[in-house]
Amino acid sequence: MMVEANCVRFNSLLLDNGATLAPVDVAYETYGELNAQRNNAILILHAFSGDAHAAGISHDGGKPGWWDNCIGPGKAFDTSRYFIICSNILGGCRGTTGPPSLNPATGCPYAMSFPVITIADMVRLQTMLIDWFGIERLLAVSGGSMGGMQALEWAVAYPERVVSAIPIACTTRHSAQQIAFNEVGRQAIMADPDWNNGDYYGSKPPARGLAVARMIGHITYMSDDSMREKFGRRLRGKQTFGFDFDVDFEVESYLRYRGSEFVNRFDANSYLYITKAMDYFDLSNRQGSLATAFAATQARFLVISFSSDWLYPSYQSQEIVRALRTRNRDVAYVELPSNYGHDAFLVDVAEQTDLIRGFLASTFDKVQ
Amino acid sequence: MTAETAKRQAFVPELLGRSDYAIIGEIVEPNTKVLDLGCGEGELLQWLAENKGVDARGVEISGVKVQRAIARGVSVYQGDIDEGLADYPSSAFDYVILSQTLQQTHRPLKVVREMLRVGRRVIVAFPNFGHWAVRLSMLVGGGAPKTKLFPYNWYDSPNIHFLTVRDFEALVGVERLVVERRYFLAGRRKVWLLPNLLAEVAVYLLSGSAG
């Protein structure tokens, strides 16, 4: 399945912090066909470093989408039955307006003059995209990690527009530990002299800081087990220690590779803005309590967590489930066994696929 | 088949291979809200959803079984019955079902009370430890009973509370519960006489006391 990126421009977007962004571009991809009743649309929400290219092989570059193992004919999100939409988030750097985009008022990139955004702002922009498609209600909103937070925000803020929500490996609010890891990433970027207060476009980007931030991220996405299995203490291309500070261990080589590769596709300022949006997200805060926040929801929920995910531990998913139960909402939940840590929702998808497929099929039956 | 004609019949049809399920399937009224505790892979809930149009939910402790239940489209969450009901508001369901699981809960009385809080009606099915085969097994063998109904060795049995029909009737009295219907089964046969001796499985439809 070859896919092409598309872009649509909206005149303006009102943000939580009171500012208005104008205009706003949204990069998106779609897979499958919207049916005549317009009731088979599913919005896929990407995680922190994802983009609109969720499935298929990109027309330019030939890369598979980030959730290609879950989206396609016969897969969890079956494109022979459903119409799948995925867009790059607000504040991103993969086609949707974000810090590296040109500010029409100055003709220069926004950089740090970009307004601080929230998960709710991202979702508000997504509602404009869904309106633009002429879709009233989404059969499902789904994503892992920060994508799951957006799915929850959709279900709470636009209850009449969401038939079902599948938040995976996520939380209703970041814990101190999650904020801490994000802050270390941000500090790594801002400590790089090339960051230059965010003003690096057209010159050297803060590649070292961004790479370090990404290395930290990757550690949190894996588990002790998966790292032991993948790397152990194996040495990289040598039989003995080098007695220097070049790469000795496989794990060092992997992290350095991941870090430097990330620099080529991601913007350091976007890193700052998006992690901040994640840290600000707190469904309970806005409405007093989580149970109050969920009072308005109408959706069915399928909540999934993974046993070895220590970045978004199962207790956070269970908090979602318990709060929904106090409202007697229709919620299915299971913790899937996996050694892959937080990455499990992207890589260990066999069991997740069965769950999503069955849940979507029964949900689709209900709207027929 | 109406409930009245079913009551008079000597044999119960099987539903999903179980006669107690057939009774439950008969009791549950259409288009109601049902919570099944210890729902396994959700077969009964799926049947109730498809044949009675109920809004079906389940609780199951085994992750593997929860996965299969969700994969068949039933809303089940992984959790412990002993703890799991506390979050639900009162009278959240028309029926709360506990099928052959009461004897496996840590605190059966608390579970029954919680079921009656979150459900307007409660359906409890349990294996009768007073059945003659159990008594005979213990009397003759002298060891912890092993029968068709209680096939486990004492050390690997999931059953931790052994109750009889008489015990349950006593509990109903003490808790001042209203028994709307009671069914006693031996295989597919209905038992009318001496249920504490002859019934393998008892099914009760209860509601909370009026006062």
Side-chain angles (χ1 to χ4, degrees):
Chain A
M1 170 165 83
M2 293 294 279
V3 295
E4 245 174 299
N6 301 285
C7 196
V8 56
R9 172 163 292 189
F10 298 105
N11 287 335
S12 67
L13 173 70
L14 182 63
L15 302 172
D16 275 353
N17 78 346
T20 300
L21 210 51
V24 185
D25 291 331
V26 180
Y28 70 90
E29 291 187 8
T30 68
Y31 325 101
E33 300 290 333
L34 185 61
N35 64 12
Q37 301 93 314
R38 295 174 177 263
N39 64 4
N40 70 333
I42 296 174
L43 181 65
I44 297 296
L45 305 150
H46 71 72
F48 164 66
S49 65
D51 55 25
H53 182 40
I57 305 299
S58 65
H59 204 70
D60 54 335
K63 275 187 68 175
W66 56 267
W67 224 5
D68 190 53
N69 53 1
C70 288
I71 304 168
K75 296 179 185 173
F77 298 95
D78 188 346
T79 50
S80 59
R81 301 191 74 187
Y82 310 118
F83 177 60
I84 313 288
I85 307 164
C86 184
S87 64
N88 186 212
I89 54 167
L90 179 68
C93 50
R94 309 279 296 167
T96 295
T97 299
S101 305
L102 286 185
N103 179 352
T106 63
C108 300
Y110 282 101
M112 296 307 280
S113 74
F114 197 74
V116 170
I117 51 163
T118 64
I119 299 287
D121 292 330
M122 297 174 187
V123 168
R124 199 173 303 118
L125 181 58
Q126 288 156 4
T127 65
M128 293 161 69
L129 180 68
I130 299 309
D131 287 341
W132 182 77
F133 274 108
I135 295 166
E136 207 146 298
R137 292 180 86 199
L138 291 161
L139 179 65
V141 289
S142 180
S145 200
M146 193 182 77
M149 298 182 201
Q150 295 165 65
L152 291 170
E153 174 69 25
W154 261 98
V156 166
Y158 306 94
E160 70 289 345
R161 304 197 66 174
V162 179
V163 181
S164 72
I166 311 176
I168 305 171
C170 72
T171 181
T172 61
R173 54 175 168 177
H174 262 187
S175 65
Q177 190 186 53
Q178 288 158 331
I179 295 168
F181 280 118
N182 275 349
E183 174 62 3
V184 174
R186 287 189 290 263
Q187 287 300 326
I189 290 166
M190 293 191 284
D192 186 331
D194 292 334
W195 178 61
N196 192 29
N197 292 313
D199 189 12
Y200 53 79
Y201 300 104
S203 62
K204 212 169 146 223
R208 288 166 298 169
L210 183 57
V212 170
R214 188 56 174 173
M215 290 164 84
I216 295 159
H218 266 287
I219 298 166
T220 65
Y221 304 153
M222 292 185 281
S223 72
D224 186 28
D225 272 346
S226 69
M227 289 181 87
R228 187 162 45 224
E229 203 172 284
K230 197 166 184 171
F231 315 110
R233 287 181 55 83
R234 280 195 308 281
L235 299 179
R236 175 75 180 177
K238 53 177 79 166
Q239 302 300 317
T240 56
F241 295 154
F243 291 98
D244 55 26
F245 291 91
D246 277 349
V247 165
D248 281 315
F249 296 98
E250 281 281 1
V251 66
E252 295 172 325
S253 165
Y254 175 83
L255 290 176
R256 287 189 192 193
Y257 167 73
R258 285 297 188 169
S260 61
E261 174 218 45
F262 190 61
V263 170
N264 296 327
R265 69 177 176 94
F266 213 80
D267 177 69
N269 289 334
S270 276
Y271 194 110
L272 303 181
Y273 279 88
I274 298 170
T275 54
K276 189 56 99 174
M278 293 163 87
D279 291 347
Y280 279 175
F281 183 62
D282 184 351
L283 273 186
S284 56
N285 187 35
R286 197 173 50 197
Q287 314 249 7
S289 79
L290 203 48
T292 318
F294 283 137
T297 60
Q298 300 173 16
R300 283 187 96 190
F301 289 82
L302 169 60
V303 180
I304 301 172
S305 65
F306 292 91
S307 58
S308 57
D309 184 350
W310 57 275
L311 183 60
Y312 289 85
S314 289
Y315 82 84
Q316 293 187 325
S317 287
Q318 285 157 6
E319 275 175 8
I320 299 170
V321 175
R322 295 192 63 168
L324 285 167
R325 278 211 305 256
T326 65
R327 293 290 165 188
N328 204 15
R329 290 296 178 266
D330 186 345
V331 53
Y333 164 72
V334 70
E335 178 195 76
L336 289 177
S338 174
N339 282 338
Y340 284 91
H342 187 53
D343 267 340
F345 82 94
L346 294 170
V347 297
D348 196 3
V349 300
E351 290 171 322
Q352 177 178 271
T353 294
D354 291 340
L355 300 182
I356 294 172
R357 188 189 286 134
F359 177 83
L360 284 178
S362 61
T363 305
F364 195 36
D365 282 347
K366 287 177 193 196
V367 300
Q368 294 294 310
Chain B
M1 181 165 60
T2 69
E4 276 309 306
T5 59
K7 245 184 216 170
R8 284 194 297 273
Q9 279 175 350
F11 288 91
V12 178
E14 286 194 341
L15 175 60
L16 307 166
R18 281 174 58 171
S19 48
D20 60 333
Y21 278 1
I23 299 281
I24 294 168
E26 181 191 307
I27 292 173
V28 172
E29 284 164 19
N31 306 314
T32 49
K33 270 186 129 152
V34 175
L35 176 67
D36 186 0
L37 303 177
C39 66
E41 299 181 9
E43 303 96 324
L44 177 63
L45 285 171
Q46 187 183 29
W47 187 91
L48 290 170
E50 286 172 0
N51 293 281
K52 296 251 176 159
V54 306
D55 185 347
R57 319 270 177 83
V59 185
E60 170 58 47
I61 189 106
S62 154
V64 173
K65 289 179 180 172
V66 174
Q67 284 180 46
R68 296 205 181 116
I70 296 173
R72 66 171 79 214
V74 182
S75 292
V76 173
Y77 73 84
Q78 187 179 12
D80 184 346
I81 298 169
D82 279 293
E83 309 296 329
L85 294 179
D87 298 324
Y88 283 113
S90 296
S91 301
F93 297 93
D94 296 304
Y95 299 96
V96 180
I97 299 170
L98 186 65
S99 179
Q100 311 251 13
T101 313
L102 186 61
Q103 76 281 4
Q104 298 176 2
T105 59
H106 286 278
R107 298 179 63 192
L109 179 56
K110 187 185 161 201
V111 169
V112 170
R113 285 177 178 163
E114 273 291 273
M115 288 173 74
L116 283 160
R117 182 184 67 79
V118 303
R120 273 183 271 276
R121 284 160 159 183
V122 160
I123 302 172
V124 179
F126 62 88
N128 174 29
F129 204 65
H131 186 255
W132 63 265
V134 177
R135 301 188 196 194
L136 194 66
S137 166
M138 188 142 182
L139 189 67
V140 174
K146 267 177 83 173
T147 69
K148 187 180 72 175
L149 207 56
F150 296 92
Y152 307 100
N153 290 309
W154 64 270
Y155 47 81
D156 59 10
S157 172
N159 302 320
I160 54 176
H161 293 282
F162 296 96
L163 73 156
T164 67
V165 168
R166 182 174 295 173
D167 291 328
F168 196 76
E169 289 287 346
L171 181 70
V172 163
V174 171
E175 291 288 301
R176 302 177 66 198
L177 308 179
V178 177
V179 178
E180 298 195 8
R181 287 186 228 167
R182 43 168 80 75
Y183 303 82
F184 303 109
L185 301 168
R188 287 182 51 207
R189 211 163 37 80
K190 282 199 182 174
V191 172
W192 303 102
L193 287 170
L194 303 172
N196 198 40
L197 192 63
L198 300 178
E200 292 174 345
V201 173
V203 184
Y204 281 76
L205 174 63
L206 303 167
S207 52
S209 65

